[in-house]
Amino acid sequence: MATPTTSRDTILKAMRANAPQLRPLPDPPQAIVYPNPLEHFAATLAGVGGRFLKATDEADLQLQLGSLEVFQRATRIASTVPSLPGNVDLEALKNPHELEGIDLAILPGDFAVAENGAVWVPGTNLGPQRAIFVIAQHLVLVIQASTVVHNMQQAYENLNLQRPGFGVFISGPSKTADIEQSLVIGAHGARSCTVIAL
């Protein structure tokens, strides 16, 4: 017994019969490449309100961190960088509300992007309370200088998210210019962001 033809079938058949020929997609635009991606990253980070420091080794990393005013003034410091311990035990916190009052969060980034001054921080680097990067008053992100890529195309190629996965690109401190195009730093999250490259 033949299936009755509906108006829908008639329309779809006519559309298929008159569909245009498939054409090859155009080549993607050439991604930008910088002569010195680390130098460009530092300049771009400054442009989005962040600060860049270069450490020569682990000892210098601790010196650079200690020189920051936000570190010197902080009373509650949370860190997931093993060589830079804080004084807040993130594992002991029961829920994100207990993150209130964290002055400084020190987090490791997997890599950074010269194009937009962003640092990729996967959820596994945030510890058990992944809201830490938006609750803390100030952020310090630690990266390896050799991991700075030129552009977001390369950045997406580097992503390695385990599912279910989570991660964020952090580009400088929190900011907004929603109201009358007036830039406000620290509107929704960290008031400052310093990236230290080893």
Side-chain angles (χ1 to χ4, degrees), residues 1 23-24 31 37 40 47 50 53 55 59 64 75 79 87 101 106 108 122 128 137 146 152 168 172 175-176 193 195:
M1 181 174 161
R23 295 178 180 273
H40 193 86
L53 297 172
Q64 298 274 5
T75 54
S79 175
N87 58 13
I106 307 170
Q137 293 291 315
S146 60
M152 286 302 291
V168 290
K175 51 197 163 294
T176 182
C193 176
V195 177

PDB file of all heavy atoms in Angstrom, residues 1 23-24 31 37 40 47 50 53 55 59 64 75 79 87 101 106 108 122 128 137 146 152 168 172 175-176 193 195:
ATOM      1  N   MET A   1       0.841  -1.185   0.000  1.00  0.00           N
ATOM      2  CA  MET A   1       0.000   0.000   0.000  1.00  0.00           C
ATOM      3  C   MET A   1       0.884   1.244   0.000  1.00  0.00           C
ATOM      4  O   MET A   1       1.777   1.381   0.830  1.00  0.00           O
ATOM      5  CB  MET A   1      -0.890  -0.041   1.245  1.00  0.00           C
ATOM      6  CG  MET A   1      -1.828   1.121   1.352  1.00  0.00           C
ATOM      7  SD  MET A   1      -2.917   0.829   2.786  1.00  0.00           S
ATOM      8  CE  MET A   1      -3.481   2.476   3.054  1.00  0.00           C
ATOM      9  N   ARG A  23      29.133  24.084  -3.592  1.00  0.00           N
ATOM     10  CA  ARG A  23      30.407  24.717  -3.960  1.00  0.00           C
ATOM     11  C   ARG A  23      31.388  24.517  -2.814  1.00  0.00           C
ATOM     12  O   ARG A  23      30.997  24.446  -1.653  1.00  0.00           O
ATOM     13  CB  ARG A  23      30.216  26.218  -4.222  1.00  0.00           C
ATOM     14  CG  ARG A  23      29.333  26.515  -5.415  1.00  0.00           C
ATOM     15  CD  ARG A  23      29.154  28.019  -5.583  1.00  0.00           C
ATOM     16  NE  ARG A  23      28.300  28.305  -6.719  1.00  0.00           N
ATOM     17  CZ  ARG A  23      28.746  28.419  -7.961  1.00  0.00           C
ATOM     18  NH1 ARG A  23      30.031  28.269  -8.218  1.00  0.00           N
ATOM     19  NH2 ARG A  23      27.921  28.674  -8.948  1.00  0.00           N
ATOM     20  N   PRO A  24      32.658  24.422  -3.128  1.00  0.00           N
ATOM     21  CA  PRO A  24      33.647  24.262  -2.040  1.00  0.00           C
ATOM     22  C   PRO A  24      33.680  25.505  -1.159  1.00  0.00           C
ATOM     23  O   PRO A  24      33.471  26.629  -1.622  1.00  0.00           O
ATOM     24  CB  PRO A  24      34.976  24.081  -2.790  1.00  0.00           C
ATOM     25  CG  PRO A  24      34.742  24.626  -4.153  1.00  0.00           C
ATOM     26  CD  PRO A  24      33.284  24.436  -4.448  1.00  0.00           C
ATOM     27  N   ALA A  31      45.471  33.410   9.913  1.00  0.00           N
ATOM     28  CA  ALA A  31      45.542  33.899  11.295  1.00  0.00           C
ATOM     29  C   ALA A  31      46.789  34.751  11.480  1.00  0.00           C
ATOM     30  O   ALA A  31      47.825  34.506  10.851  1.00  0.00           O
ATOM     31  CB  ALA A  31      45.560  32.723  12.269  1.00  0.00           C
ATOM     32  N   PRO A  37      55.619  36.586  20.191  1.00  0.00           N
ATOM     33  CA  PRO A  37      54.294  36.432  20.810  1.00  0.00           C
ATOM     34  C   PRO A  37      54.273  36.783  22.294  1.00  0.00           C
ATOM     35  O   PRO A  37      53.283  37.329  22.779  1.00  0.00           O
ATOM     36  CB  PRO A  37      53.952  34.957  20.564  1.00  0.00           C
ATOM     37  CG  PRO A  37      55.212  34.299  20.157  1.00  0.00           C
ATOM     38  CD  PRO A  37      56.093  35.340  19.581  1.00  0.00           C
ATOM     39  N   HIS A  40      54.157  40.549  22.554  1.00  0.00           N
ATOM     40  CA  HIS A  40      52.849  41.046  22.142  1.00  0.00           C
ATOM     41  C   HIS A  40      51.791  40.710  23.189  1.00  0.00           C
ATOM     42  O   HIS A  40      50.893  41.516  23.457  1.00  0.00           O
ATOM     43  CB  HIS A  40      52.449  40.466  20.789  1.00  0.00           C
ATOM     44  CG  HIS A  40      51.270  41.170  20.193  1.00  0.00           C
ATOM     45  ND1 HIS A  40      51.388  42.311  19.421  1.00  0.00           N
ATOM     46  CD2 HIS A  40      49.941  40.931  20.302  1.00  0.00           C
ATOM     47  CE1 HIS A  40      50.196  42.731  19.076  1.00  0.00           C
ATOM     48  NE2 HIS A  40      49.293  41.913  19.596  1.00  0.00           N
ATOM     49  N   GLY A  47      46.868  46.413  27.597  1.00  0.00           N
ATOM     50  CA  GLY A  47      45.775  47.115  26.938  1.00  0.00           C
ATOM     51  C   GLY A  47      44.402  46.754  27.468  1.00  0.00           C
ATOM     52  O   GLY A  47      43.453  47.536  27.330  1.00  0.00           O
ATOM     53  N   GLY A  50      45.437  44.485  32.384  1.00  0.00           N
ATOM     54  CA  GLY A  50      46.229  43.551  33.179  1.00  0.00           C
ATOM     55  C   GLY A  50      47.676  43.997  33.309  1.00  0.00           C
ATOM     56  O   GLY A  50      48.092  45.031  32.776  1.00  0.00           O
ATOM     57  N   LEU A  53      54.437  40.224  34.263  1.00  0.00           N
ATOM     58  CA  LEU A  53      55.757  40.140  34.880  1.00  0.00           C
ATOM     59  C   LEU A  53      56.458  38.905  34.335  1.00  0.00           C
ATOM     60  O   LEU A  53      55.821  37.890  34.060  1.00  0.00           O
ATOM     61  CB  LEU A  53      55.645  40.036  36.405  1.00  0.00           C
ATOM     62  CG  LEU A  53      55.023  41.232  37.142  1.00  0.00           C
ATOM     63  CD1 LEU A  53      54.820  40.887  38.613  1.00  0.00           C
ATOM     64  CD2 LEU A  53      55.895  42.458  36.987  1.00  0.00           C
ATOM     65  N   ALA A  55      59.385  36.119  35.223  1.00  0.00           N
ATOM     66  CA  ALA A  55      60.247  35.541  36.265  1.00  0.00           C
ATOM     67  C   ALA A  55      61.290  34.656  35.599  1.00  0.00           C
ATOM     68  O   ALA A  55      60.994  33.952  34.630  1.00  0.00           O
ATOM     69  CB  ALA A  55      59.411  34.743  37.259  1.00  0.00           C
ATOM     70  N   ALA A  59      62.504  30.693  42.114  1.00  0.00           N
ATOM     71  CA  ALA A  59      62.836  31.621  43.201  1.00  0.00           C
ATOM     72  C   ALA A  59      62.427  33.042  42.823  1.00  0.00           C
ATOM     73  O   ALA A  59      61.877  33.784  43.653  1.00  0.00           O
ATOM     74  CB  ALA A  59      64.336  31.555  43.505  1.00  0.00           C
ATOM     75  N   GLN A  64      58.816  37.880  42.616  1.00  0.00           N
ATOM     76  CA  GLN A  64      57.902  38.723  41.842  1.00  0.00           C
ATOM     77  C   GLN A  64      56.525  38.786  42.510  1.00  0.00           C
ATOM     78  O   GLN A  64      55.919  39.854  42.604  1.00  0.00           O
ATOM     79  CB  GLN A  64      57.753  38.173  40.417  1.00  0.00           C
ATOM     80  CG  GLN A  64      59.033  38.156  39.616  1.00  0.00           C
ATOM     81  CD  GLN A  64      59.293  39.481  38.909  1.00  0.00           C
ATOM     82  OE1 GLN A  64      58.554  40.439  39.090  1.00  0.00           O
ATOM     83  NE2 GLN A  64      60.341  39.540  38.132  1.00  0.00           N
ATOM     84  N   THR A  75      45.029  39.281  53.062  1.00  0.00           N
ATOM     85  CA  THR A  75      44.985  38.490  54.303  1.00  0.00           C
ATOM     86  C   THR A  75      44.502  37.062  54.022  1.00  0.00           C
ATOM     87  O   THR A  75      44.873  36.145  54.725  1.00  0.00           O
ATOM     88  CB  THR A  75      44.042  39.140  55.336  1.00  0.00           C
ATOM     89  OG1 THR A  75      42.761  39.330  54.742  1.00  0.00           O
ATOM     90  CG2 THR A  75      44.595  40.490  55.783  1.00  0.00           C
ATOM     91  N   SER A  79      45.478  29.466  46.585  1.00  0.00           N
ATOM     92  CA  SER A  79      46.382  29.152  45.486  1.00  0.00           C
ATOM     93  C   SER A  79      46.232  27.703  45.061  1.00  0.00           C
ATOM     94  O   SER A  79      46.062  26.807  45.900  1.00  0.00           O
ATOM     95  CB  SER A  79      47.832  29.409  45.924  1.00  0.00           C
ATOM     96  OG  SER A  79      48.723  28.992  44.903  1.00  0.00           O
ATOM     97  N   ASN A  87      47.012  30.688  52.115  1.00  0.00           N
ATOM     98  CA  ASN A  87      46.653  30.377  53.501  1.00  0.00           C
ATOM     99  C   ASN A  87      45.184  29.999  53.641  1.00  0.00           C
ATOM    100  O   ASN A  87      44.644  29.972  54.734  1.00  0.00           O
ATOM    101  CB  ASN A  87      47.000  31.553  54.423  1.00  0.00           C
ATOM    102  CG  ASN A  87      46.308  32.838  53.994  1.00  0.00           C
ATOM    103  OD1 ASN A  87      45.395  32.806  53.170  1.00  0.00           O
ATOM    104  ND2 ASN A  87      46.744  33.957  54.538  1.00  0.00           N
ATOM    105  N   GLY A 101      35.473  36.987  50.687  1.00  0.00           N
ATOM    106  CA  GLY A 101      36.586  37.549  51.454  1.00  0.00           C
ATOM    107  C   GLY A 101      37.952  37.089  50.991  1.00  0.00           C
ATOM    108  O   GLY A 101      38.967  37.475  51.579  1.00  0.00           O
ATOM    109  N   ILE A 106      45.691  32.675  43.270  1.00  0.00           N
ATOM    110  CA  ILE A 106      46.859  32.405  42.420  1.00  0.00           C
ATOM    111  C   ILE A 106      46.587  31.101  41.683  1.00  0.00           C
ATOM    112  O   ILE A 106      46.432  30.043  42.304  1.00  0.00           O
ATOM    113  CB  ILE A 106      48.138  32.283  43.273  1.00  0.00           C
ATOM    114  CG1 ILE A 106      48.299  33.521  44.164  1.00  0.00           C
ATOM    115  CG2 ILE A 106      49.363  32.113  42.379  1.00  0.00           C
ATOM    116  CD1 ILE A 106      49.392  33.373  45.219  1.00  0.00           C
ATOM    117  N   PRO A 108      47.258  28.534  38.071  1.00  0.00           N
ATOM    118  CA  PRO A 108      48.102  28.242  36.908  1.00  0.00           C
ATOM    119  C   PRO A 108      47.286  28.249  35.621  1.00  0.00           C
ATOM    120  O   PRO A 108      46.157  27.754  35.578  1.00  0.00           O
ATOM    121  CB  PRO A 108      48.624  26.829  37.212  1.00  0.00           C
ATOM    122  CG  PRO A 108      47.551  26.202  38.046  1.00  0.00           C
ATOM    123  CD  PRO A 108      46.876  27.322  38.802  1.00  0.00           C
ATOM    124  N   PRO A 122      41.981  25.785  32.608  1.00  0.00           N
ATOM    125  CA  PRO A 122      40.992  24.709  32.629  1.00  0.00           C
ATOM    126  C   PRO A 122      40.447  24.506  34.040  1.00  0.00           C
ATOM    127  O   PRO A 122      41.097  24.865  35.028  1.00  0.00           O
ATOM    128  CB  PRO A 122      41.786  23.484  32.162  1.00  0.00           C
ATOM    129  CG  PRO A 122      43.206  23.815  32.457  1.00  0.00           C
ATOM    130  CD  PRO A 122      43.340  25.305  32.369  1.00  0.00           C
ATOM    131  N   PRO A 128      38.732  22.666  43.855  1.00  0.00           N
ATOM    132  CA  PRO A 128      37.362  22.179  44.078  1.00  0.00           C
ATOM    133  C   PRO A 128      36.299  23.272  43.975  1.00  0.00           C
ATOM    134  O   PRO A 128      35.131  22.964  43.800  1.00  0.00           O
ATOM    135  CB  PRO A 128      37.423  21.608  45.499  1.00  0.00           C
ATOM    136  CG  PRO A 128      38.545  22.351  46.150  1.00  0.00           C
ATOM    137  CD  PRO A 128      39.551  22.619  45.075  1.00  0.00           C
ATOM    138  N   GLN A 137      39.215  39.021  44.922  1.00  0.00           N
ATOM    139  CA  GLN A 137      39.370  40.445  44.608  1.00  0.00           C
ATOM    140  C   GLN A 137      40.458  40.680  43.555  1.00  0.00           C
ATOM    141  O   GLN A 137      40.363  41.591  42.748  1.00  0.00           O
ATOM    142  CB  GLN A 137      39.711  41.224  45.883  1.00  0.00           C
ATOM    143  CG  GLN A 137      38.593  41.268  46.894  1.00  0.00           C
ATOM    144  CD  GLN A 137      37.436  42.117  46.411  1.00  0.00           C
ATOM    145  OE1 GLN A 137      37.641  43.214  45.891  1.00  0.00           O
ATOM    146  NE2 GLN A 137      36.228  41.606  46.540  1.00  0.00           N
ATOM    147  N   SER A 146      56.958  29.745  27.347  1.00  0.00           N
ATOM    148  CA  SER A 146      57.056  29.007  26.079  1.00  0.00           C
ATOM    149  C   SER A 146      55.696  28.569  25.541  1.00  0.00           C
ATOM    150  O   SER A 146      55.601  28.086  24.411  1.00  0.00           O
ATOM    151  CB  SER A 146      57.937  27.770  26.266  1.00  0.00           C
ATOM    152  OG  SER A 146      57.369  26.923  27.257  1.00  0.00           O
ATOM    153  N   MET A 152      43.892  32.893  18.394  1.00  0.00           N
ATOM    154  CA  MET A 152      42.855  32.021  18.944  1.00  0.00           C
ATOM    155  C   MET A 152      42.702  30.730  18.144  1.00  0.00           C
ATOM    156  O   MET A 152      42.263  29.717  18.683  1.00  0.00           O
ATOM    157  CB  MET A 152      41.516  32.769  19.007  1.00  0.00           C
ATOM    158  CG  MET A 152      41.435  33.802  20.112  1.00  0.00           C
ATOM    159  SD  MET A 152      41.722  33.125  21.766  1.00  0.00           S
ATOM    160  CE  MET A 152      40.259  32.121  22.005  1.00  0.00           C
ATOM    161  N   VAL A 168      38.140  28.365  31.230  1.00  0.00           N
ATOM    162  CA  VAL A 168      37.861  29.762  30.886  1.00  0.00           C
ATOM    163  C   VAL A 168      39.101  30.413  30.289  1.00  0.00           C
ATOM    164  O   VAL A 168      40.229  30.075  30.644  1.00  0.00           O
ATOM    165  CB  VAL A 168      37.413  30.580  32.116  1.00  0.00           C
ATOM    166  CG1 VAL A 168      36.041  30.162  32.580  1.00  0.00           C
ATOM    167  CG2 VAL A 168      38.420  30.468  33.242  1.00  0.00           C
ATOM    168  N   GLY A 172      42.771  39.700  31.419  1.00  0.00           N
ATOM    169  CA  GLY A 172      42.820  40.862  32.299  1.00  0.00           C
ATOM    170  C   GLY A 172      41.782  40.791  33.396  1.00  0.00           C
ATOM    171  O   GLY A 172      41.108  39.772  33.584  1.00  0.00           O
ATOM    172  N   LYS A 175      35.807  43.577  33.685  1.00  0.00           N
ATOM    173  CA  LYS A 175      35.530  44.942  33.215  1.00  0.00           C
ATOM    174  C   LYS A 175      34.252  44.957  32.383  1.00  0.00           C
ATOM    175  O   LYS A 175      33.834  43.945  31.846  1.00  0.00           O
ATOM    176  CB  LYS A 175      36.693  45.483  32.383  1.00  0.00           C
ATOM    177  CG  LYS A 175      37.138  44.555  31.281  1.00  0.00           C
ATOM    178  CD  LYS A 175      38.513  44.941  30.795  1.00  0.00           C
ATOM    179  CE  LYS A 175      39.171  43.834  30.013  1.00  0.00           C
ATOM    180  NZ  LYS A 175      39.482  42.632  30.791  1.00  0.00           N
ATOM    181  N   THR A 176      33.681  46.137  32.304  1.00  0.00           N
ATOM    182  CA  THR A 176      32.495  46.328  31.464  1.00  0.00           C
ATOM    183  C   THR A 176      32.457  47.770  30.988  1.00  0.00           C
ATOM    184  O   THR A 176      32.986  48.657  31.649  1.00  0.00           O
ATOM    185  CB  THR A 176      31.192  45.996  32.229  1.00  0.00           C
ATOM    186  OG1 THR A 176      30.083  46.157  31.338  1.00  0.00           O
ATOM    187  CG2 THR A 176      30.993  46.928  33.405  1.00  0.00           C
ATOM    188  N   CYS A 193      44.448  41.829  37.556  1.00  0.00           N
ATOM    189  CA  CYS A 193      44.929  40.536  37.055  1.00  0.00           C
ATOM    190  C   CYS A 193      46.384  40.695  36.635  1.00  0.00           C
ATOM    191  O   CYS A 193      46.691  41.494  35.747  1.00  0.00           O
ATOM    192  CB  CYS A 193      44.076  40.068  35.878  1.00  0.00           C
ATOM    193  SG  CYS A 193      44.654  38.525  35.123  1.00  0.00           S
ATOM    194  N   VAL A 195      49.722  38.575  35.308  1.00  0.00           N
ATOM    195  CA  VAL A 195      50.202  37.310  34.741  1.00  0.00           C
ATOM    196  C   VAL A 195      51.715  37.265  34.906  1.00  0.00           C
ATOM    197  O   VAL A 195      52.421  38.196  34.500  1.00  0.00           O
ATOM    198  CB  VAL A 195      49.834  37.190  33.250  1.00  0.00           C
ATOM    199  CG1 VAL A 195      50.402  35.890  32.668  1.00  0.00           C
ATOM    200  CG2 VAL A 195      48.323  37.232  33.069  1.00  0.00           C
TER     201      VAL A 195
END
